[in-house]
Amino acid sequence: MSVFKDLTSLLRSDAQADQVVPPSGFTAQLTIFTAAAMAFLAVFALALSMASGRLATTWGDELARSSTLRITAPQAELPALTATAMRILESTAGVASARPLDAAEQQALLAPWFGTGLDLSNLPVPQLIEVIEADSGFDSAGLRLRLEAEVPGAVLDDHRQWRAPLVAAANRLRTVGWVSAVLLGLSVAAMVTLAANASLAANARVIAVLRLVGATDRYIAQAFIRRFTLRALGGAAGGTVLGMFVVRMLPAATDRAGFLTGLGFQGGEWLLPLTVPLLAAAAAFVATRLAAQRKLRELA
């Protein structure tokens, strides 16, 4: 019940109670600035978490349904072996599609290491075949045995050894984003606690006079709770707006640098940062309430 009364007091303006806490000064500026800075960083932490989640889903979906068949053989034998491999793949249950990569596509894959002017005809480059699974999937072990028997030099890579580390790394990044947001919230609470203690100590004489004229500790505590909660709310709101604006200005995702340019929110995710000021105010409310109760007992 006392917590509910403290919450409802935030919605009521009491000019006399507000005068208990100085409206300006070092503690006010510290509270507003720190709340704004933490909210700004929290927006980026949430953006990192959301982008990492999308990245994990994308990597998992794309790599889970695709496999690569590599055929290594003399150049004169590659066409016949490729035709045999395509016949096997087309008759394999669970294979949605399969297609050999042409010279231009294989050259594009090697371009990051050998440049764009590479002539593949002078190199013993294996033939790559892209295999896309159906929803039911295929028997990779059975397909490997059949390929070994009919297509010497064929190696089927189902990307499992690549998929798991990539998805795990993206999920860890998402966890880091959420942990960072929680730590930023705790930092706001710690800062407000210090600022509230400093303000209570600085107003010890005022508090003593208020007690002499009949003010209760609840009345005094509510004044501090309201002032510091509203300061945290206002500062966090400003930091959140600025953070959302900066995130919106970041480059959109591209195929060449998807994750580095895709940091941000999509669709309904833009509503998530709006909870940051409310969470900052809640952290300030709890921190100030505990600090006020403790400090008032010390000043009794």
Side-chain angles (χ1 to χ4, degrees), residues 141-166:
L143 180 58
R144 285 191 179 93
L145 291 175
R146 189 176 177 187
L147 289 170
E148 289 176 2
E150 301 186 41
V151 186
V155 178
L156 179 65
D157 182 6
D158 58 7
H159 301 164
R160 289 182 181 176
Q161 62 176 337
W162 309 106
R163 182 172 68 246
L166 289 174

Side-chain angles (χ1 to χ4, degrees), residues 244-260:
M244 293 176 68
F245 175 78
V246 174
V247 169
R248 184 65 181 84
M249 292 297 102
L250 293 176
T254 64
D255 294 335
R256 293 186 177 182
F259 178 67
L260 295 178

